[in-house]
Amino acid sequence: MQVPAAFEYAKATSVGQTLQLLEQWGEDARVIAGGHSLIPMMKLRLARPTALIDINDVAELAYIRVEGDELRIGALTRHAELLASPLVEEHYRIFADAERVIADPLVRNRGTVGGSLCQADPAEDLSAAFAAVGASAVIQGARGSRTVPLTEFHVGPYETVVEPGELLTEVRVPIRPGGGSAYHKVERRVGDWAVAAAGAAVWLDGDAVKAAGIGLAAVGAEHFRAAEAEAFLVGKPATEETFAEAGRIAAEHTNPVADQRGPVDYKRHLAGELTARALRTAAARARGQEA
């Protein structure tokens, strides 16, 4: 029988109250919204928080909107809301691609964007998608807020820069014209964690790549990013040969681990192939050639 260790519980209704409760209960307190990762870990006693702070009623963190030249996504936004958003569809198709292959409708209806990023699972899809589009994370604490590039947000497996007493409140994505984005994933069965996955965002200047971002999941890419492949793409023609070479470079800099989902060579091969596919789809969308 799997039973969590004893813990305190409180329901917060605002960011301010959440921060007060985090300060009150100390570094072993945890924030919970969807709970799809935390609750199973608690049942197995892999996580033993002294207190849970339920933020499901913190409505100020549930939104998707455009402010200036940024798409802003509240940390309490549900996966299903991100998938259904016309604003997200208009600016970044990569998120709809990723959300369609995250778990199942039950999980997507309750799980949150902030929870996924803070879990920092190496195979987490949204982390790779946000890394590809150059997102940043807004973190709030008792002394104020700070903004961190998503490529610096994750510091290791299941570790982020969010300190005790702090709360991830928002993700910001710069909006730039002339771009397209896409996400491709290989999984053992529908809704499973990725064997390997790649997201790409491409901005074109005529037939050349003006800028590009590549995010990788489940293959040991540092900060979920393929920085060397991104640098290679700038100024190159947006051709199949260019994308194939970028995929090779991305795969070369991965560090996958053999497990029940596959051996190292297979995962590295997938990283390269999926990177090329995501770049191809993103470029086609930038040209308006793919619906």
Side-chain angles (χ1 to χ4, degrees):
M1 184 175 180
Q2 297 178 357
V3 179
F7 58 89
E8 299 289 338
Y9 172 86
K11 199 172 186 68
T13 57
S14 68
V15 170
Q17 185 183 14
T18 303
L19 294 175
Q20 290 174 1
L21 289 167
L22 284 169
E23 183 177 7
Q24 173 185 330
W25 277 325
E27 62 181 27
D28 291 326
R30 294 292 180 270
V31 170
I32 188 168
H36 293 101
S37 297
L38 180 57
I39 295 299
M41 292 176 69
M42 290 173 62
K43 287 183 175 181
L44 293 169
R45 306 275 177 120
L46 296 174
R48 302 183 66 162
T50 56
L52 289 184
I53 303 166
D54 186 336
I55 62 168
N56 279 290
D57 287 346
V58 183
E60 64 192 280
L61 293 181
Y63 57 85
I64 301 171
R65 59 181 179 243
V66 171
E67 291 189 16
D69 58 356
E70 291 181 324
L71 177 66
R72 298 193 176 188
I73 302 166
L76 199 58
T77 301
R78 310 289 174 177
H79 292 296
E81 294 168 339
L82 195 66
L83 175 59
S85 169
L87 278 177
V88 172
E89 179 74 10
E90 176 186 355
H91 296 291
Y92 282 105
R93 300 272 298 281
I94 188 173
F95 295 121
D97 290 348
E99 287 291 5
R100 289 189 186 100
V101 294
I102 291 176
D104 53 44
L106 290 174
V107 172
R108 291 196 292 268
N109 284 338
R110 295 298 300 167
T112 64
V113 170
S116 291
L117 295 180
C118 288
Q119 176 66 10
D121 191 296
E124 207 282 306
D125 294 288
L126 282 188
S127 296
F130 277 118
V133 299
S136 57
V138 180
I139 302 167
Q140 191 163 334
R143 300 177 185 174
S145 65
R146 58 192 176 104
T147 304
V148 179
L150 204 79
T151 50
E152 299 174 13
F153 183 78
H154 299 101
V155 295
Y158 309 101
E159 292 183 284
T160 74
V161 296
V162 180
E163 298 287 346
E166 290 186 326
L167 181 69
L168 172 65
T169 57
E170 183 180 72
V171 184
R172 297 178 178 177
V173 185
I175 297 173
R176 302 168 58 184
S181 60
Y183 193 80
H184 287 274
K185 174 179 177 177
V186 168
E187 52 198 341
R188 294 182 303 173
R189 55 185 177 270
V190 174
D192 195 6
W193 294 103
V195 178
V202 173
W203 290 268
L204 300 179
D205 182 7
D207 292 328
V209 177
K210 184 177 182 180
I214 301 170
L216 297 172
V219 291
E222 188 174 7
H223 301 300
F224 292 91
R225 187 183 177 198
E228 295 82 5
E230 293 173 357
F232 163 78
L233 284 165
V234 177
K236 301 293 194 303
T239 62
E240 183 62 34
E241 292 76 16
T242 296
F243 297 153
E245 179 62 12
R248 187 197 66 77
I249 294 170
E252 185 179 86
H253 289 87
T254 61
N255 187 30
V257 176
D259 57 19
Q260 71 272 23
R261 292 183 173 85
V264 168
D265 288 347
Y266 175 56
K267 292 184 177 184
R268 189 170 282 122
H269 167 76
L270 284 179
E273 178 60 30
L274 293 174
T275 295
R277 290 184 193 178
L279 287 167
R280 185 188 309 129
T281 304
R285 288 173 173 173
R287 296 182 180 113
Q289 296 172 349
E290 181 171 325

